[in-house]
Amino acid sequence: MKMSILFSLCIFAFPGFSQGRVVGVDEAGFAECNEFFYGETPPEGFTESFHVKICQQYNKEPRFATLYSTEDKTPLYSAFKYTKAAQRGKESWLVEPQIDDPGNDLEEMVHEAVAVGSVNNLGANQALTTDYVDSGYERGQLNPSSLNEDDFQLATYTLTNAVPMTPSLSESWHKDVENIVEQALAPHCENGARLYLVAGAVPSSLRVKDKVSIPEFLWLAACCDAPEVWSVGFLKRPSGENSIEDLSVQELEKQLPSGAHLFKSNCGGGSQSQEKMEAILQTINQIQSEESIVQTTAGRVGWHKREESSLLKRVAGIIAAPFTKLLRIIGYVLVEVVRYTCYFLWYVVKQLSNTAMGGLYSLWNGVVSYGKEIGTVLVNIPRDVAKVAANIIMGFVRIFQNTLSLIYRILSVPIGLFLHILAFPLDTLCAVPIVLKDMAAGVGGTCSLIVDATAAMMSGFYYIATHLGKKFVPKLSSDD
């Protein structure tokens, strides 16, 4: 029972309903979140390799876009559209798993309690809640939750939308942006329906806990494309917490990294309405004047009250300080115990579910393999029977063929002998004329050979005699 209650507390305390998509560096734009940029074109000039594009989503719907610096552990800017001013809801801060672990299958932004057991190198590339604890800085939203409502507001509570701000700067920034957008900008742009906003921070070399960069200054740029085109920029420095400077977008871009261009075609180029700009700036000056008067009056009244109660506060502070610190320590320890208990429970549940799923998967594979083998055997039975029957028939055919061949060979021996015996007299009689003919031809040939030999001898003797006669007879005649 205690474990189920604690697990329910973990689910209630660490909701993970928000979704985010880390867009590839090589991809053009911010995917589904391009709609939050004027002309669906993100700002130019932010091209460092450690800049990560994030399409911030909640309940599977895009809510705003963020360019995040993994080196500074802070967002460079968040682009959003004004929905409706609302009271700030309960804070429930989330982290983006894919920034630290790109291969992680968690596509949803989740609380650190969920991410600890499943995300590798958590906090290597992004800020965590623990980075702000006892630092003197708050998680200040670039896209203020007070300018959003419902799911849009809940989506702003992500650490990828927060930079370190002192409590007073955070309160002043949210109040200034809320008043300027709600009272000066939205009324001159179809109540914010055609208003594109980009809020950013320029990192400095100062760091919170040597990790998270403290912004050098904050800025806001607005572009309206209907019914009349206009744009305006604002700059707020930590040294001037109670004031915000208005300037043109072009002047603001000069304060940003070299080559920065916030809006496509400078938000309409040279076709901006000067009358509209004058009306907007007049409203802004009026807002700042009213805030200055309120702050001055509140300062005077507060001074008198502070003088009267300063001594009492000091005494009470000295007495209460140890108890306050003790309560803070106890609270911190309890929170950490609950949190790490939730980590453990989440890890155990995850391991059990993975083991169960692995067993079911192995069982399913075994059943499928067994069924497959049985099916293969059943399918092969008719084929094997047919092969055996065909082999038997072929055996009988060969036996019959060999039997006929043997019978033929046995019968052919006496029949052949009998036929040869019968044919012998006929062959003998038929051979007599041929033999006689050959004998006659032999005798005739012999006689012809004798005659030819005799004639050749006679011819030779004649030749010799003639030759000798020619050789000796003339000599005898000449001697006489």
Side-chain angles (χ1 to χ4, degrees):
M1 180 66 179
K2 290 182 179 179
M3 184 172 289
S4 63
I5 294 174
L6 186 57
F7 191 73
S8 301
L9 269 173
C10 293
I11 296 175
F12 176 77
F14 305 129
F17 302 112
S18 183
Q19 297 179 340
R21 176 187 172 192
V22 176
V23 183
V25 175
D26 295 332
E27 292 187 38
F30 284 70
E32 302 93 336
C33 287
N34 283 337
E35 63 179 282
F36 298 106
F37 299 100
Y38 171 72
E40 296 191 352
T41 303
E44 299 176 355
F46 301 87
T47 57
E48 297 293 343
S49 59
F50 49 82
H51 292 171
V52 179
K53 302 173 183 175
I54 305 175
C55 181
Q56 307 280 16
Q57 298 184 9
Y58 191 88
N59 285 338
K60 299 181 180 180
E61 293 292 334
R63 306 301 177 179
F64 64 99
T66 298
L67 183 67
Y68 194 82
S69 171
T70 57
E71 181 178 273
D72 301 301
K73 310 298 186 297
T74 57
L76 297 176
Y77 64 75
S78 287
F80 56 99
K81 297 184 73 174
Y82 173 72
T83 55
K84 185 180 179 182
Q87 293 294 326
R88 299 184 66 177
K90 180 182 178 181
E91 295 186 3
S92 179
W93 291 93
L94 308 168
V95 295
E96 175 55 64
Q98 293 184 0
I99 291 182
D100 292 324
D101 186 7
N104 194 285
D105 56 359
L106 286 175
E107 295 183 357
E108 299 183 351
M109 285 192 299
V110 296
H111 196 276
E112 293 174 47
V114 179
V116 164
S118 57
V119 178
N120 296 325
N121 303 318
L122 183 64
N125 294 319
Q126 65 180 311
L128 302 177
T129 302
T130 53
D131 296 325
Y132 288 88
V133 175
D134 294 330
S135 67
Y137 289 90
E138 291 184 352
R139 293 158 290 188
Q141 298 170 311
L142 292 185
N143 176 11
S145 60
S146 56
L147 290 180
N148 299 270
E149 63 176 353
D150 301 331
D151 288 348
F152 285 91
Q153 183 179 93
L154 296 176
T156 62
Y157 288 102
T158 167
L159 285 164
T160 54
N161 179 47
V163 297
M165 298 185 193
T166 61
S168 57
L169 176 61
S170 177
E171 181 181 359
S172 176
W173 164 256
H174 287 92
K175 185 177 181 181
D176 288 342
V177 173
E178 180 181 350
N179 290 339
I180 289 172
V181 172
E182 185 179 2
Q183 300 178 32
L185 304 184
H188 295 281
C189 191
E190 295 187 353
N191 290 326
R194 307 291 297 180
L195 183 62
Y196 297 89
L197 299 167
V198 183
V202 175
S204 70
S205 58
L206 300 177
R207 308 259 172 179
V208 175
K209 296 185 178 181
D210 295 326
K211 180 179 178 181
V212 187
S213 176
I214 300 172
E216 182 179 344
F217 61 85
L218 307 171
W219 55 269
L220 173 70
C223 172
C224 176
D225 63 354
E228 297 175 282
V229 179
W230 53 265
S231 64
V232 65
F234 302 91
L235 188 148
K236 189 176 187 66
R237 300 185 184 277
S239 58
E241 294 180 352
N242 296 326
S243 64
I244 187 168
E245 178 184 353
D246 59 86
L247 65 171
S248 67
V249 172
Q250 289 75 17
E251 292 174 341
L252 175 60
E253 290 173 345
K254 294 178 182 179
Q255 304 288 331
L256 302 180
S258 178
H261 294 286
L262 300 179
F263 298 115
K264 179 182 179 181
S265 303
N266 291 325
C267 187
S271 60
Q272 298 190 19
S273 172
Q274 295 300 323
E275 295 181 359
K276 187 68 69 175
M277 286 301 305
E278 291 177 1
I280 293 171
L281 293 177
Q282 183 178 357
T283 305
I284 293 172
N285 291 332
Q286 183 178 354
I287 293 172
Q288 292 181 342
S289 298
E290 292 175 354
E291 290 182 356
S292 177
I293 294 172
V294 170
Q295 290 173 357
T296 301
T297 305
R300 290 176 179 174
V301 174
W303 183 80
H304 289 292
K305 289 183 178 179
R306 283 195 299 270
E307 285 294 322
E308 295 174 356
S309 61
S310 60
L311 180 59
L312 181 61
K313 284 184 178 180
R314 287 177 184 176
V315 175
I318 293 172
I319 297 174
F323 297 98
T324 303
K325 290 183 178 180
L326 179 61
L327 290 175
R328 287 180 63 185
I329 293 172
I330 293 173
Y332 180 77
V333 170
L334 290 176
V335 169
E336 291 299 313
V337 169
V338 171
R339 188 176 69 171
Y340 283 102
T341 304
C342 292
Y343 293 166
F344 175 74
L345 291 176
W346 172 257
Y347 180 77
V348 170
V349 171
K350 183 179 177 183
Q351 293 300 319
L352 290 176
S353 63
N354 289 340
T355 303
M357 291 302 295
L360 291 175
Y361 181 74
S362 300
L363 178 62
W364 172 251
N365 282 341
V367 172
V368 171
S369 300
Y370 185 70
K372 204 171 171 186
E373 294 298 328
I374 292 177
T376 303
V377 171
L378 294 176
V379 169
N380 290 336
I381 286 176
R383 186 184 67 180
D384 295 339
V385 171
K387 286 175 68 175
V388 171
N391 291 333
I392 293 173
I393 293 172
M394 290 299 296
F396 281 115
V397 170
R398 287 176 184 172
I399 291 171
F400 181 70
Q401 181 182 0
N402 292 335
T403 303
L404 290 180
S405 176
L406 180 61
I407 294 172
Y408 170 75
R409 290 182 181 180
I410 292 172
L411 294 177
S412 64
V413 173
I415 293 174
L417 179 61
F418 179 73
L419 291 176
H420 285 302
I421 293 173
L422 291 179
F424 179 73
L426 180 60
D427 292 340
T428 303
L429 293 177
C430 292
V432 171
I434 297 172
V435 171
L436 293 176
K437 180 180 176 182
D438 292 338
M439 292 176 63
V443 172
T446 303
C447 293
S448 176
L449 180 62
I450 294 171
V451 172
D452 291 339
T454 304
M457 290 178 62
M458 293 300 294
S459 177
F461 287 134
Y462 175 75
Y463 176 75
I464 293 170
T466 303
H467 182 68
L468 293 174
K470 287 181 180 182
K471 187 174 182 181
F472 296 105
V473 172
K475 292 183 177 181
L476 293 177
S477 299
S478 62
D479 290 338
D480 292 338

